[in-house]
Amino acid sequence: MRIIVIGGGWAGCAAALQAKKCGAEVLLIEKTDLLLGLGNVGGIIRNNGRFTAAEEMIALGGGDLFKIADNCARHKNVDFPGHKHATLYDVNRIEPEVRNYLYSKGVNVIFETRVVDVGTEGNRIKSIYLFDGTEIEGDVFVETTGSTGPIGNCLRYGQGCSMCILRCPSYGPRISISMRAGVEDIQGLRGDESFGAMSGSCKLVKETLSEDIQEKLNKDGVVVLPVPKEDINVEKLNMKVCQQYALKEFAENIVLLDTGHAKLMTSYYPLEKLRKIPGLEKAKFVDPYSGGKANSIRYLSMAPRENTMKVCGLDNLFVGGEKSGLFVGHTEAIVTGTLAGYNAVRAGLGLNLVELPITLAVGDIINHENEMKKSIEGLKLRYTFAGANYFERMKKLGLYTTNVEEIRNRVRSLMLEKFFETRII
Amino acid sequence: MFRYIDCIDAGTEFCPCNLADTGECIICSQLRGKTFCDCLNWKGSCIFQEYYWNHNKSKKVREFAEYVVVDKKYIRDDLIKFDIQVNAHLARQLNSIGSYVFLKNPKSPEFFSTPISIMKSNLKNNQITVVVKIIGVKTKNLGLAGDKILLKGPYWNGIQGQVFLKGLKNSTLFIAARGVAAAPALMVAKKLKLKGNEIIVALDVGRHSENFAKKDFTDLGCKIIDVSMVDYSKYSLKEEFIKIIAELKKKYEFKVILSAGSDEFHELLLNHLYQFDNSLKFATVNNGIITCGEGVCGSCEAKLHNHLIKTCKQQYNPAELFIKPKGEV
């Protein structure tokens, strides 16, 4: 059985890996020359409820990628405003680690290849078409192309191309596979009901910061610098993707995290203003290159899905990551991608599809987001273990814990220990 | 289902064009009235972004300019060869597969302008060579031009299926050329020779002993076969030509074919070859009735899969247009 995964970000890697672990032949198609997509510029895991989710996945047997990220950590147990016990992985080290791991498991990957269309037969996708017209047939498909708009969308809904890691001019824009197969996309809303949301962070070249700041970043992983009063812009928080970081503290302060580069926790920050802050006089953006002006726009293309991650209205298309909902973050992408990859194999075998139990945070978030998305208000929210409304919900339901033994017991009592490790073909 | 879509002007200095102003851009969904990117054929630049940065208007259109006719020669009573002195920039732009220009007698009104393919563009002396066949009002009028001529260009869509030609390297190309269509085929031969391809040219002798471009093809190092291709009594390929094609196919194992003739000839040739090998790739000279060259006037439109194609600037896959499944007329 051949599973084709389209999009090699965290969700796509997780789906490909899981489908392979289940025993399928897997082809992962990535439009750029790098796996992990935004995982090359993110770097934050295990903060707040993400700790619980990561440990749940490890107990479920689907934690391979978390272990790799842990091994690439620059800092563990970091606290910063609104966030506790974060792990910051090195964005400059992680991609080859994941790539080699996928290769070692036997996942086939093709790079610099853009999928632009599908061939369908009734409610099934029969094949996909590459940019040059090449047709590739498969049994089940997983779309993890994200929801980030190409340049045109970044222009219409944002402030134009900011030259982000997706590098549309070089590799071309993403295409909505589900829409090509006839399923209308869902689009996320901002507070003012305009579409999309702006990506929430940038990277500064660490070497362009003062020696004090570099030293503190290397030692503690975090530096908080006050923003001059006249430059505080609370309004900007409303347009952010990452509502877990849309806190007053992030408007009044510059929060820098050490992920290899200095991660600046704001959507964009004009360089002129940034350089007014002591220690940042020579600061330079490295991602996006035009991080002083803009950032990428997301949530413009999500597929309606079931809690099994199958796309509604299609028999053999599954989705993960941002493509599957208003999720934010690597952890969320790995969770949804893993389930998508698992159920893709089951669908290929004609088996019934599974949902993750809502007594685990990883199951609850998938279920909860799907419910919430049905309302206009729900479309304005983002869903992440790391903060905002969903972390509140985790705490309220008693799902949040940092007690690893307790998490293992929960999974054990559901008889789901090493669930994702079982080969089903 | 995969749809092959390309605009020959996308990403050039003439993009975005008038079509963007009117919400009819061939490539960009945002410039076709949508509020979401759905860009199938990415050429490395965002047309919407170009439009935005150009203050939400299209780029300047091509305009007529006067050039000197260096040489004008009647190859036959109805076939004129013009050598025209242009500037270095235009000569460079016209030195590519499928390039054509609009030509007009300076004394005539705008609607006398007619599209003519570029046969040669000499980058040393900046002269272009075109061959005009006199068939009607516009071409007759052009024949009356003296030592000055009005020219508008560059345009590039004189050959369809360019994607198959431009990608060909160290391989073999088979060209079947008839009459004046040999002119754009010569430009193809020149370009593909530079990429190490072997080029086999079947030239229709037509009404004369040999095709006017034979010497040029020979000079390029192409292998030439003179043959009579079409039986006019039943409008089919002649047995003699069919036999030669079979021999050449066996000997050279070509995968790409340029059909340089009328649309009826494309249909005969492509269907004949396709039934033996459906992996063949086809390019064809563009016979669309081109009047404006900007996708506006509608005279060149062709219908394909229920979509209208503006053939003056839009590329299509010739196999999709000309190959008819058996039984279909």
Side-chain angles (χ1 to χ4, degrees):
Chain A
M1 185 203 328
R2 189 185 217 190
I3 309 277
I4 297 182
V5 182
I6 305 129
W10 271 123
C13 289
L17 185 62
Q18 186 54 47
K20 189 73 216 177
K21 279 163 76 176
C22 288
E25 181 200 337
V26 181
L27 176 65
L28 174 60
I29 305 176
E30 162 58 33
K31 84 173 170 102
T32 76
D33 56 356
L34 286 174
L35 291 178
L36 294 189
L38 300 186
N40 289 296
V41 294
I44 312 176
I45 53 169
R46 291 185 178 269
N47 49 332
N48 293 347
R50 282 180 183 156
F51 186 96
T52 317
E55 288 300 334
E56 284 177 357
M57 287 305 282
I58 291 170
L60 286 164
D64 310 37
L65 296 174
F66 290 109
K67 289 179 191 163
I68 295 174
D70 284 339
N71 287 338
C72 291
R74 289 185 66 84
H75 302 278
K76 289 185 175 174
N77 217 7
V78 175
D79 292 349
F80 58 95
H83 294 258
K84 295 221 174 296
H85 49 73
T87 291
L88 306 178
Y89 71 70
D90 192 327
V91 296
N92 296 322
R93 273 180 52 208
I94 193 138
E95 196 272 346
E97 297 287 332
V98 173
R99 187 186 292 214
N100 289 336
Y101 189 70
L102 292 191
Y103 285 154
S104 74
K105 293 289 172 188
V107 174
N108 297 313
V109 190
I110 47 176
F111 289 97
E112 299 186 45
T113 303
R114 203 164 72 99
V115 176
V116 297
D117 220 333
V118 296
T120 52
E121 240 172 32
N123 289 336
R124 293 183 72 78
I125 296 182
K126 190 166 67 70
S127 59
I128 46 133
Y129 288 91
L130 305 182
F131 63 104
D132 60 356
T134 308
E135 184 180 15
I136 302 182
E137 293 191 348
D139 297 302
V140 189
F141 299 81
V142 183
E143 182 185 4
T144 51
T145 58
S147 63
T148 307
I151 297 182
N153 287 337
C154 287
L155 188 61
R156 184 176 286 276
Y157 301 106
Q159 310 194 101
C161 176
S162 57
M163 305 173 82
C164 75
I165 188 72
L166 298 175
R167 296 165 289 163
C168 299
S170 305
Y171 298 110
R174 68 180 283 285
I175 286 282
S176 174
I177 301 300
S178 50
M179 197 149 84
R180 290 256 151 257
V183 177
E184 274 300 316
D185 277 334
I186 303 172
Q187 299 190 318
L189 294 175
R190 297 181 202 174
D192 62 1
E193 299 197 354
S194 58
F195 291 113
M198 187 170 275
S199 194
S201 70
C202 305
K203 295 280 188 301
L204 299 173
V205 182
K206 214 197 279 177
E207 289 76 7
T208 64
L209 312 179
S210 74
E211 278 182 19
D212 293 358
I213 293 179
Q214 285 188 49
E215 224 168 87
K216 192 164 162 34
L217 271 178
N218 287 337
K219 189 166 139 281
D220 304 337
V222 55
V223 169
V224 180
L225 305 167
V227 169
K229 273 215 163 52
E230 69 274 19
D231 287 341
I232 292 174
N233 183 359
V234 183
E235 281 287 291
K236 208 164 75 175
L237 297 177
N238 293 331
M239 64 200 285
K240 280 183 68 139
V241 166
C242 310
Q243 290 177 343
Q244 73 274 28
Y245 306 127
L247 306 170
K248 198 161 68 69
E249 290 87 331
F250 287 86
E252 292 171 351
N253 297 292
I254 287 286
V255 179
L256 296 175
L257 301 179
D258 175 27
T259 58
H261 297 300
K263 188 178 172 79
L264 171 67
M265 304 295 287
T266 177
S267 339
Y268 64 96
Y269 206 114
L271 198 60
E272 194 77 355
K273 284 186 178 180
L274 190 67
R275 288 183 171 182
K276 278 160 58 180
I277 296 164
L280 306 185
E281 292 88 350
K282 295 176 184 172
K284 193 181 129 190
F285 284 100
V286 69
D287 179 274
Y289 270 115
S290 311
K293 178 197 149 192
N295 215 322
S296 59
I297 298 293
R298 290 147 72 177
Y299 303 112
L300 287 173
S301 160
M302 297 170 293
R305 61 158 175 93
E306 293 168 4
N307 290 332
T308 59
M309 309 315 287
K310 189 182 80 67
V311 173
C312 303
L314 291 169
D315 296 342
N316 65 341
L317 181 65
F318 290 78
V319 283
E322 278 181 23
K323 180 73 204 188
S324 67
L326 295 151
F327 299 114
V328 188
H330 314 326
T331 309
E332 294 72 5
I334 293 169
V335 169
T336 51
T338 302
L339 183 60
Y342 182 79
N343 273 327
V345 178
R346 291 188 72 93
L349 293 171
L351 298 173
N352 59 329
L353 306 179
V354 303
E355 296 182 15
L356 290 176
I358 55 169
T359 50
L360 295 178
V362 291
D364 183 61
I365 198 170
I366 290 172
N367 194 297
H368 180 66
E369 190 272 347
N370 226 9
E371 276 303 307
M372 294 293 286
K373 204 164 49 186
K374 290 175 185 160
S375 70
I376 293 288
E377 285 315 306
L379 281 172
K380 292 179 184 173
L381 299 175
R382 311 288 170 255
Y383 303 85
T384 165
F385 306 110
N389 67 91
Y390 188 74
F391 184 44
E392 286 310 311
R393 178 181 162 88
M394 273 180 83
K395 287 193 276 195
K396 209 170 82 196
L397 295 177
L399 292 170
Y400 171 57
T401 173
T402 53
N403 183 334
V404 176
E405 202 42 49
E406 190 185 330
I407 294 167
R408 281 187 196 148
N409 283 335
R410 285 181 195 174
V411 172
R412 206 172 289 141
S413 67
L414 289 162
M415 308 225 282
L416 289 176
E417 219 175 1
K418 300 193 175 168
F419 173 77
F420 284 120
E421 273 174 22
T422 324
R423 213 185 142 100
I424 50 180
I425 296 181
Chain B
M1 183 61 200
F2 180 73
R3 263 197 314 133
Y4 177 78
I5 286 186
D6 200 2
C7 171
I8 206 79
D9 288 338
T12 69
E13 62 187 279
F14 306 106
C15 169
C17 67
N18 296 121
L19 298 183
D21 288 328
T22 49
E24 293 283 331
C25 180
I26 291 162
I27 300 286
C28 172
S29 61
Q30 303 251 17
L31 291 171
R32 222 172 32 245
K34 301 273 164 52
T35 53
F36 183 72
C37 285
D38 194 21
C39 180
L40 283 177
N41 192 352
W42 181 250
K43 305 281 282 269
S45 70
C46 171
I47 300 172
F48 187 50
Q49 162 115 331
E50 286 292 320
Y51 192 71
Y52 179 84
W53 279 101
N54 203 38
H55 307 292
N56 290 312
K57 56 181 185 350
S58 56
K59 298 272 177 71
K60 201 168 171 287
V61 293
R62 300 151 170 107
E63 284 174 352
F64 274 106
E66 195 171 81
Y67 293 96
V68 174
V69 177
V70 183
D71 190 36
K72 178 180 157 188
K73 195 160 64 190
Y74 278 84
I75 307 172
R76 219 165 62 186
D77 55 347
D78 61 345
L79 220 51
I80 320 172
K81 184 157 85 74
F82 288 94
D83 288 327
I84 304 167
Q85 185 71 46
V86 297
N87 58 45
H89 182 58
L90 194 55
R92 274 198 300 271
Q93 285 185 313
L94 292 173
N95 184 30
S96 75
I97 290 175
S99 42
Y100 70 94
V101 292
F102 281 89
L103 291 182
K104 191 173 82 65
N105 188 329
K107 293 183 190 129
S108 308
E110 173 99 23
F111 53 80
F112 273 73
S113 78
T114 187
I116 303 291
S117 285
I118 304 299
M119 180 168 158
K120 288 190 265 187
S121 179
N122 186 333
L123 300 186
K124 281 191 191 128
N125 60 12
N126 301 324
Q127 285 181 11
I128 57 166
T129 304
V130 297
V131 173
V132 178
K133 185 179 183 195
I134 295 173
I135 46 172
V137 183
K138 295 200 270 188
T139 42
K140 267 184 199 162
N141 186 262
L142 202 55
L144 301 175
D147 57 352
K148 296 277 172 61
I149 202 157
L150 287 179
L151 182 152
K152 185 172 69 165
Y155 296 86
W156 296 290
N157 218 32
I159 301 275
Q160 291 289 356
Q162 292 191 21
V163 64
F164 306 124
L165 298 173
K166 288 176 175 170
L168 206 64
K169 225 181 189 171
N170 301 323
S171 183
T172 310
L173 172 73
F174 174 58
I175 297 176
R178 308 188 71 224
V180 76
L186 186 73
M187 179 66 87
V188 173
K190 180 187 160 195
K191 288 288 168 188
L192 266 65
K193 259 287 173 207
L194 294 173
K195 286 187 174 169
N197 295 294
E198 185 167 11
I199 296 170
I200 320 297
V201 188
L203 277 177
D204 197 341
V205 291
R207 289 192 278 135
H208 288 256
S209 54
E210 63 177 40
N211 186 286
F212 66 91
K214 185 172 178 182
K215 182 177 179 311
D216 290 304
F217 279 115
T218 313
D219 290 349
L220 284 174
C222 304
K223 185 169 170 36
I224 316 282
I225 296 113
D226 287 313
V227 58
S228 182
M229 296 179 183
V230 177
D231 179 348
Y232 290 98
S233 63
K234 42 188 179 179
Y235 209 81
S236 61
L237 298 180
K238 279 191 176 166
E239 282 306 318
E240 160 197 8
F241 184 43
I242 287 174
K243 214 173 122 201
I244 286 174
I245 292 174
E247 282 165 14
L248 292 173
K249 179 88 180 70
K250 205 169 162 196
K251 188 166 171 196
Y252 296 102
E253 295 181 335
F254 52 79
K255 288 284 174 207
V256 183
I257 293 103
L258 171 67
S259 172
S262 65
D263 281 358
E264 291 77 14
F265 177 69
H266 293 336
E267 209 171 307
L268 285 179
L269 183 69
L270 268 58
N271 282 287
H272 173 72
L273 282 162
Y274 189 78
Q275 62 180 326
F276 292 110
D277 183 354
N278 62 12
S279 73
L280 291 174
K281 304 289 181 211
F282 298 99
T284 49
V285 301
N286 185 355
N287 296 307
I289 300 168
I290 295 171
T291 310
C292 74
E294 302 291 347
V296 174
C297 74
S299 65
C300 69
E301 280 181 348
K303 205 170 179 189
L304 185 60
H305 303 320
N306 291 324
H307 290 278
L308 281 178
I309 293 175
K310 301 168 190 300
T311 64
C312 65
K313 64 191 301 167
Q314 187 171 344
Q315 284 276 298
Y316 55 76
N317 180 355
E320 287 183 39
L321 194 70
F322 292 109
I323 290 169
K324 310 270 189 255
K326 279 208 171 114
E328 194 183 307
V329 183

